[in-house]
Amino acid sequence: MAKNIQSLERAAAMLRLLAGGERRLGLSDISSSLGLAKGTAHGILRTLQHEGFVEQDAASGRYQLGAELLRLGNSYLDVHELRARALVWTDDLARSSGESVHLGVLHQHGILIVHHVFRPDDSRQVLEVGAMQPLHSTALGKVLSAYDPVAHSEAVEVERQAFTPRTVTGPEEFESLLDLIRARGWASDVEETWEGVAAVAAPVHDRRRMPVGAVAVTGAVERVCPGGELRPELIAAVRDCARAVSRDLGAGRF
Amino acid sequence: MTDAHTTGSHGTGPFIAAIDQGTTSSRCIVFDKDGRIVSVDQKEHEQIFPKPGWVEHDAAEIWTNVQEVVAGAISKAGITSADVKAIGITNQRETTLLWDRNTGEPVHNALVWQDTRTDALCKELGRNVGQDRFRRETGLPLASYFAGPKVRWLLDNVEGLRKRAERGEILFGTMDSWVIWNLTGGTDGGVHVTDVTNASRTLLMNLHSMQWDEKILQSMHIPAAVLPEIRSSAEVYGHAKGGVLDGIPVASALGDQQAALFGQTCFAQGEAKSTYGTGTFMLMNTGHTPVNSYNGLLTTVGYRVGDQKPVYALEGSIAVTGSLVQWMRDQMGLIKSAAEIETLASSVEDNGGAYFVPAFSGLFAPYWRPDARGVITGLTRYVTKAHIARAVLEATAWQTREISDAMTKDSGVELTALKVDGGMTSNNLLMQTLSDFLDAPVVRPMVAETTCLGAAYAAGLAVGFWPDTDALRANWRRAAEWTPRMDAATRDREYKSWLKAVERSMGWLDEDTVEE
């Protein structure tokens, strides 16, 4: 087994020290507690300070835990919060596109549908909230695989099943598809998961530009992709919707 | 929602502008012919609390804000008044204002519906009969929400006001009247009208004749000279004078909950909607006859389109729904955001035997027990905060079921489906639970802004923008539907437990302290 990195171990020990007991400690307290030379301790503290994990009190010169640690712990976006923020925008997307809209997040090697807006006709439809979709073939799955490194490694590592003759399964083909998605900012699924069904998806980002989910419009291939071409206004509408949700989550304009 | 929607795919008009003069803010939304939102503008106004239990609004501030949001919405939509076919009004109900017809100045801040200063007056007005003294005529109990007692309070407490009112110098109105009077010119020929839905919340209108009830006016000691003319909910009252919408017909008025009923296109007898906000308001269309309630509901006017027959409704309200989730977040600290209640509640399969009756200020419909206070029952060591979160959501669903049961008892009509709107409809678990407990489908429409939409619909009908209510129904789009998944035995057992929990909330306050 490889040897652990000593400076990281020392940094971790400092954070534990600052988290327990007396909250603010001076440089000499820290170095003596951990049995380090002052210079070594100071170097590590400066690095931690630069990353925001440690803050130095201006008046006393003592150190305490930084706000960034708190943010790390709270960075997880509640999917129900995501749905609440997306509600008006996804309603509007369904209304303007005339197709059904899904909001998905990465969950256990697949896409979990957290919100579903019916296609705005009078047909009987079943709410698909809670359903899972595959990562490698759906528009939602592919767009997240392109933007989220965790989704990417999961999509790449599993065996990609061919659901239809059009499903992309080969590793090189799949990677170049993701490159294209990243370059264009959206993904499509034209009968790659279900025969007769096509979809377009775009990523939703949070305030730190992390991909937290994706929005997709899904419908019959004849309507979404007439004559084999995806309707450009549909792509624009999906991307507008994803941007609007991202803005509501605090992401800057992009 | 701060951005104007600019989704591009709605045509070039024409449009309808709806003004929603609400309790915390005034809004204007521009709708296209499909009932889609084109633009929104909104401005909050100050809540004035002069004493505990007193709540007032500055009506002059409200009128200024209304003008601003109308101009804002028109400008965000990128259109001119030439593209707008009519203006519709919806408003916070029961909030009461008196103003000078010659100067246009309010004589006092508006008394807001939540204001309880007329509690004692209402008891006094009940004489030996009690709070149902005017129920047969008005469909309402004598309670501090309603406008009539607030008018009486102002006449009794603002110096010299009664004399001026008797001389015909003073006008009374709920916020619809105030906005319409100002829109149509104010001191320069403004029309002084109200609609049947707002009038039905005054305790002064006879539900059967749709006119001010002279006997009640005498009993409450209110001079008829202050009263607006009662008109239908959808007709041209007058035309806007001045402002960005100069010359446009002012063509609808509906109280906010009735507007939501209209916006949800509950046009057939037995159709019902429930709006889930801080509190919850459920209304059921009962057709052309006012149904007396023996189960603690209110009888009210649903709407009246032009000279067609009026449509009545039964109304039940739940005081604490969204505010219970806020309480879990702010007072208990169990969640960080309101949406998280679903995450916490979803982490368990059921309530673990716990029930939460949020009777924070007594029990409302159908019990009306001011001596009740909140309880959490059925606790064992097994119960976790997740079970409590589940019990919180179930409380809203069970209370809806109780109102729905009361409506069925009073009207004889079974609920076939419940149309929902409001902020809490984004809570999937709550909507599923609601469907399970009601044993009926729960349906969410695609336009969440049903209140403004209702006002726009009524105005559009009045000017022929839409031909009839069938055309409006065709605009209604289902965004989601939840169907019952719970078996009958479980539902019955759980309902029994809920009712037991409700029983335990009653009688907490001693009789002599209930008056507080």
Side-chain angles (χ1 to χ4, degrees):
Chain A
M1 191 172 147
K3 198 170 177 295
N4 288 338
I5 297 165
Q6 193 186 35
S7 55
L8 279 178
E9 284 178 339
R10 286 172 171 172
M14 273 180 199
L15 291 176
R16 276 195 208 97
L17 190 65
L18 288 167
E22 205 183 336
R23 306 255 326 172
R24 282 185 188 171
L25 296 171
L27 175 60
S28 49
D29 303 329
I30 295 171
S31 54
S32 64
S33 295
L34 299 178
L36 296 172
K38 269 193 182 180
T40 313
H42 187 246
I44 294 170
L45 280 168
R46 225 180 33 219
T47 310
L48 287 172
Q49 195 182 350
H50 180 74
E51 294 295 330
F53 293 155
V54 159
E55 283 166 13
Q56 191 177 19
D57 183 59
S60 64
R62 287 165 172 259
Y63 293 91
Q64 64 187 42
L65 292 182
E68 184 62 22
L69 277 175
L70 209 68
R71 273 200 287 275
L72 266 185
N74 287 333
S75 65
Y76 164 72
L77 175 72
D78 189 288
V79 296
H80 301 111
E81 184 73 36
L82 178 62
R83 182 199 297 137
R85 302 286 186 130
L87 202 70
V88 284
W89 306 110
T90 45
D91 273 5
D92 201 57
L93 178 59
R95 191 95 202 217
S96 68
S97 65
E99 300 294 346
S100 65
V101 173
H102 294 88
L103 181 69
V105 298
L106 180 67
H107 180 73
Q108 292 179 348
H109 318 295
I111 293 292
L112 173 69
I113 302 301
V114 296
H115 183 50
H116 172 199
V117 186
F118 287 171
R119 185 174 61 250
D121 55 25
D122 269 341
S123 66
R124 217 69 202 159
Q125 292 164 71
V126 176
L127 206 60
E128 290 165 18
V129 172
M132 293 290 293
Q133 289 189 0
L135 268 182
H136 69 277
S137 65
T138 60
L140 288 169
K142 283 190 283 188
V143 85
L144 277 181
S145 301
Y147 283 92
D148 181 345
V150 180
H152 178 257
S153 60
E154 286 182 356
V156 167
E157 279 161 20
V158 297
E159 193 195 334
R160 289 172 296 280
Q161 193 189 337
F163 300 110
T164 75
R166 301 186 57 149
T167 313
V168 175
T169 54
E172 277 145 41
E173 245 184 309
F174 187 66
E175 284 295 356
S176 61
L177 186 62
L178 297 186
D179 286 340
L180 179 66
I181 290 166
R182 274 186 290 266
R184 294 197 295 202
W186 53 272
S188 65
D189 166 6
V190 181
E191 299 191 276
E192 290 156 62
T193 314
W194 303 282
E195 298 280 359
V197 177
V200 181
V204 173
H205 294 92
D206 70 2
R207 63 187 158 79
R208 290 192 289 172
R209 301 289 306 270
M210 292 295 287
V212 289
V215 179
V217 155
T218 305
V221 67
E222 299 80 11
R223 290 192 308 263
V224 173
C225 204
E229 284 291 314
L230 285 162
R231 277 160 53 199
E233 69 274 16
L234 214 52
I235 298 168
V238 173
R239 300 188 70 194
D240 280 346
C241 176
R243 279 193 207 102
V245 178
S246 302
R247 268 205 306 280
D248 262 8
L249 292 171
R253 285 178 188 273
F254 52 91
Chain B
M1 205 168 35
T2 48
D3 293 57
H5 292 245
T6 44
T7 339
S9 49
H10 43 70
T12 50
F15 304 103
I16 302 284
I19 297 168
D20 177 4
Q21 201 303 296
T23 306
T24 56
S25 71
S26 300
R27 305 197 301 159
C28 179
I29 301 186
V30 175
F31 290 94
D32 70 7
K33 200 151 198 162
D34 295 332
R36 282 186 63 203
I37 293 172
V38 179
S39 67
V40 184
D41 200 27
Q42 174 166 356
K43 196 160 186 214
E44 293 193 1
H45 55 261
E46 191 190 352
Q47 306 293 314
I48 304 162
F49 305 106
K51 289 186 188 183
W54 292 26
V55 190
E56 300 180 355
H57 290 161
D58 175 352
E61 181 193 4
I62 284 180
W63 169 236
T64 306
N65 288 0
V66 166
Q67 290 170 281
E68 280 183 33
V69 296
V70 168
I74 296 299
S75 130
K76 281 183 184 175
I79 60 176
T80 67
S81 64
D83 303 315
V84 179
K85 291 297 156 214
I87 307 166
I89 317 284
T90 177
N91 56 290
Q92 51 168 324
R93 303 179 301 173
E94 299 119 8
T95 295
T96 301
L97 185 71
L98 294 176
W99 70 93
D100 185 314
R101 76 154 76 221
N102 297 310
T103 64
E105 302 275 340
V107 299
H108 190 278
N109 279 336
L111 307 192
V112 178
W113 58 274
Q114 300 141 324
D115 189 300
T116 55
R117 78 183 69 183
T118 55
D119 272 346
L121 177 62
C122 286
K123 283 209 183 71
E124 187 191 315
L125 288 169
R127 293 235 200 112
N128 51 343
V129 187
Q131 66 170 12
D132 284 340
R133 183 177 171 199
F134 304 123
R135 194 186 265 271
R136 187 180 298 272
E137 296 84 357
T138 65
L140 308 173
L142 259 165
S144 61
Y145 300 115
F146 305 114
K150 293 185 199 287
V151 177
R152 164 71 179 270
W153 188 93
L154 287 166
L155 291 170
D156 287 351
N157 288 278
V158 178
E159 187 155 352
L161 190 59
R162 182 170 290 281
K163 282 252 158 55
R164 290 165 68 195
E166 280 163 359
R167 283 199 301 263
E169 296 167 13
I170 299 298
L171 301 180
F172 149 71
T174 38
M175 298 319 281
D176 54 317
S177 303
W178 173 242
V179 171
I180 293 171
W181 188 79
N182 279 295
L183 264 178
T184 54
T187 53
D188 180 19
V191 293
H192 186 220
V193 296
T194 188
D195 93 297
V196 285
T197 67
N198 279 295
S200 78
R201 316 297 291 191
T202 57
L203 269 169
L204 303 175
M205 187 188 80
N206 187 302
L207 274 180
H208 307 272
S209 67
M210 294 287 183
Q211 294 301 323
W212 302 117
D213 188 298
E214 279 179 30
K215 275 194 188 143
I216 299 178
L217 290 176
Q218 276 169 18
S219 309
M220 284 212 204
H221 208 41
I222 292 173
V226 301
L227 300 172
E229 189 189 341
I230 301 175
R231 304 279 283 269
S232 81
S233 319
E235 62 176 283
V236 177
Y237 309 121
H239 291 78
K241 206 178 268 183
V244 291
L245 290 179
D246 186 52
I248 306 304
V250 180
S252 78
L254 286 154
D256 50 13
Q257 297 306 326
Q258 281 89 343
L261 186 76
F262 208 82
Q264 285 270 27
T265 67
C266 294
F267 299 133
Q269 191 176 348
E271 286 191 305
K273 74 88 200 175
S274 197
T275 303
Y276 291 88
T278 314
T280 288
F281 291 88
M282 181 167 167
L283 272 75
M284 178 193 257
N285 180 327
T286 61
H288 298 303
T289 41
V291 173
N292 283 325
S293 178
Y294 300 96
N295 293 285
L297 304 173
L298 306 180
T299 309
T300 197
V301 181
Y303 57 90
R304 180 179 200 170
V305 176
D307 51 13
Q308 295 172 22
K309 281 190 198 166
V311 169
Y312 295 89
L314 279 170
E315 173 175 324
S317 54
I318 311 171
V320 178
T321 52
S323 54
L324 181 58
V325 177
Q326 286 165 4
W327 182 84
M328 289 285 281
R329 181 193 64 196
D330 302 335
Q331 256 89 338
M332 293 296 103
L334 287 175
I335 44 174
K336 290 197 297 284
S337 71
E340 243 185 79
I341 190 89
E342 187 176 353
T343 313
L344 187 55
S346 302
S347 66
V348 287
E349 288 294 309
D350 55 33
N351 59 20
Y355 298 83
F356 195 152
V357 184
F360 290 168
S361 43
L363 283 168
F364 285 39
Y367 301 101
W368 300 104
R369 289 284 298 261
D371 60 331
R373 282 299 176 269
V375 293
I376 304 176
T377 65
L379 296 182
T380 59
R381 283 199 61 177
Y382 171 75
V383 170
T384 65
K385 62 180 180 179
H387 294 118
I388 303 292
R390 200 137 184 140
V392 159
L393 297 182
E394 290 185 357
T396 293
W398 283 129
Q399 287 175 283
T400 307
R401 164 76 188 262
E402 290 182 320
I403 289 176
S404 152
D405 283 359
M407 285 181 172
T408 302
K409 275 187 208 154
D410 283 333
S411 69
V413 182
E414 288 269 350
L415 187 75
T416 48
L418 181 65
K419 292 177 168 181
V420 294
D421 50 66
M424 285 181 98
T425 57
S426 76
N427 190 315
N428 197 62
L429 179 61
L430 174 62
M431 294 299 111
Q432 182 59 52
T433 307
L434 198 52
S435 174
D436 287 343
F437 289 3
L438 291 171
D439 195 20
V442 168
V443 190
R444 181 176 81 80
M446 213 158 263
V447 172
E449 305 290 348
T450 52
T451 304
C452 273
L453 185 62
Y457 276 172
L461 278 184
V463 298
F465 186 72
W466 288 290
D468 49 31
T469 50
D470 286 344
L472 302 179
R473 267 185 195 286
N475 262 348
W476 192 89
R477 296 280 183 279
R478 185 186 288 113
E481 175 167 351
W482 294 267
T483 47
R485 288 186 202 155
M486 186 175 260
D487 64 273
T490 310
R491 175 167 39 245
D492 292 348
R493 190 187 66 231
E494 286 294 309
Y495 197 15
K496 261 190 204 140
S497 301
W498 164 259
L499 293 172
K500 264 199 263 180
V502 169
E503 229 164 78
R504 275 159 182 72
S505 74
M506 295 181 190
W508 178 257
L509 292 194
D510 296 327
E511 227 169 84
D512 50 340
T513 54
V514 173
E515 304 289 311
E516 292 309 306

